Amino acid sequence: MVTMQEVADAAEVSIATVSRVLRDQPNVRPEVRAHVLKVVEELGYRMNRTARRLRTQTSGVIGLLVSDIRNPFFTDIARAIEDVAHQNDLSVFLCNTDEDPEKEIHYLNTLIDEGVDGIILSPTPSQAKHFQMIMEHPTPIVFIDRRIDGLDADTVLSDNFDSAYTITSHLIERGCQRIGAVIGMSESTTGRERMAGYKSCLEENKQVPLSAFVLPHEENAEKIVTDWLQSNSPPDAILTGNSRLTIGALNAIKQHGLSIPDDILLAGFDETVWMHHIGNGITVVSQPTYEMGRNAAELLLQRLKDHDRPAREVILKGKLIERGSTATAD
């Protein structure tokens, strides 16, 4: 393995200069930088992370744990975090927990054992005691998408109550009298806040809720919506808690031979690349996923610089995007 000293000798510069070039730091003349990078490429030098950790007490790596990487919501968040990390000379290890607390703890312990500099986590629906041991470890953690009740920690959220209230109000304005809501797990703060926003809007408009909490997978929404459509009092609109639940609702509506929006309206959470391609498009609340990821990464960077600063909670607003799935005849 080529060492930094060998690069310095070949380039006829100091190790400090090589280090500044590799870290893309200032105070290096452009011609020197270009020369050092050419030598690095010719010798095939790669930075030894173990040596870096021993020298700087940092790994240059952060961990990202999400509950479902198949959900485009987390794909956008991961992209933003990786962008910020790369800009700050950090790499990202991505882990998928599948809403499994045991898998989550396994990955958290693994990342801590590997000496990552910090962790960004979309937590499983767990109580504060589940994370207490991890929070007592010096490795900084930022929570994203879900709040842990009773835990004082850096957190980035979307305003779930307001978004659910807004999209429910939109359906009521379209004349809907029976809105069925399929929302992700009651154990998560996200699910509870969205259900609360939906029910609050219905209560103000003197409508009766038709709702279900489910594990946010397509087949679960499909089953619930199918049961509703086969009932004696079927809904005239469906509200879904994320894009995977929207797919399940679409499947049920199609199998029941109904047309959107002529027979039933459909709206849900999360913008994806395919939402505007289905029929005349699906009405959604677009959450600020990239901004959420960027804010989480920036909070972690701030925490790495100042471990003792007070915890911060950032709440970002969603945006209603109206499309053909909630259109009504003039």
Side-chain angles (χ1 to χ4, degrees):
M1 182 179 293
V2 178
T3 66
M4 191 180 295
Q5 182 64 63
E6 289 172 325
V7 173
D9 291 343
E12 297 182 338
V13 297
S14 68
I15 288 182
T17 297
V18 175
S19 178
R20 284 197 295 273
V21 170
L22 294 176
R23 295 174 182 277
D24 199 25
Q25 294 180 340
N27 303 323
V28 180
R29 297 196 310 276
E31 62 272 20
V32 173
R33 186 183 302 275
H35 175 59
V36 170
L37 290 175
K38 181 180 179 182
V39 172
V40 165
E41 183 177 357
E42 291 173 348
L43 296 181
Y45 172 79
R46 295 184 61 191
M47 184 177 293
N48 187 315
R49 289 198 175 275
T50 302
R52 169 180 173 164
R53 185 179 303 162
L54 292 172
R55 183 176 66 255
T56 66
Q57 298 299 301
T58 63
S59 66
V61 176
I62 61 173
L64 170 60
L65 279 77
V66 300
S67 58
D68 185 1
I69 193 59
R70 292 176 298 178
N71 186 340
F73 172 82
F74 290 114
T75 306
D76 289 346
I77 282 176
R79 176 56 194 259
I81 291 170
E82 196 279 332
D83 284 347
V84 175
H86 181 71
Q87 292 165 9
N88 289 273
D89 194 28
L90 294 169
S91 299
V92 180
F93 283 172
L94 175 62
C95 305
N96 184 68
T97 67
D98 290 321
E99 303 286 8
D100 183 343
E102 291 186 5
K103 192 174 182 181
E104 178 179 64
I105 285 294
H106 166 74
Y107 278 133
L108 283 169
N109 286 330
T110 298
L111 291 171
I112 288 173
D113 290 344
E114 289 296 322
V116 297
D117 294 336
I119 296 171
I120 298 174
L121 167 65
S122 173
T124 59
S126 305
Q127 302 301 315
K129 62 182 180 181
H130 177 80
F131 297 98
Q132 198 60 52
M133 180 183 68
I134 299 297
M135 293 300 297
E136 290 172 357
H137 193 276
T139 302
I141 295 182
V142 174
F143 293 94
I144 190 168
D145 183 45
R146 296 169 180 171
R147 178 191 294 108
I148 301 298
D149 294 329
L151 202 63
D152 187 28
D154 290 324
T155 308
V156 179
L157 305 166
S158 177
D159 193 337
N160 294 294
F161 181 96
D162 179 75
S163 293
Y165 186 99
T166 296
I167 200 167
T168 305
S169 178
H170 170 74
L171 291 170
I172 291 174
E173 290 170 359
R174 293 299 184 272
C176 297
Q177 299 290 322
R178 187 163 171 77
I179 303 169
V182 190
I183 306 295
M185 302 175 299
S186 62
E187 297 88 348
S188 76
T189 56
T190 298
R192 293 196 300 272
E193 290 165 0
R194 290 179 183 176
M195 187 67 80
Y198 155 79
K199 288 186 175 180
S200 176
C201 186
L202 289 188
E203 182 179 354
E204 289 183 13
N205 288 274
K206 296 180 173 54
Q207 292 194 18
V208 178
L210 173 66
S211 60
F213 284 114
V214 298
L215 192 66
H217 296 161
E218 293 90 335
E219 60 272 17
N220 297 326
E222 184 174 340
K223 182 180 184 305
I224 292 293
V225 175
T226 295
D227 290 343
W228 289 344
L229 295 177
Q230 292 174 346
S231 70
N232 293 328
S233 300
D236 54 12
I238 299 293
L239 169 60
T240 57
N242 72 13
S243 60
R244 295 190 65 184
L245 295 176
T246 301
I247 296 172
L250 280 166
N251 290 341
I253 291 168
K254 180 179 179 181
Q255 290 168 13
H256 210 70
L258 299 178
S259 173
I260 300 171
D262 296 334
D263 301 317
I264 190 170
L265 304 191
L266 176 64
F269 274 78
D270 298 340
E271 174 74 314
T272 70
V273 295
W274 50 265
M275 283 294 184
H276 65 281
H277 290 298
I278 298 177
N280 292 319
I282 304 297
T283 293
V284 296
V285 166
S286 177
Q287 297 189 86
T289 49
Y290 192 91
E291 289 78 9
M292 290 174 70
R294 179 176 55 80
N295 272 271
E298 290 174 352
L299 280 181
L300 184 59
L301 291 172
Q302 293 169 20
R303 178 65 64 186
L304 290 172
K305 294 177 182 178
D306 182 5
H307 284 246
D308 297 322
R309 69 163 175 77
R312 289 185 58 201
E313 182 175 273
V314 177
I315 301 178
L316 302 173
K317 292 285 187 181
K319 177 183 178 183
L320 178 66
I321 301 176
E322 300 179 29
R323 296 197 177 102
S325 68
T326 57
T328 56
D330 295 331

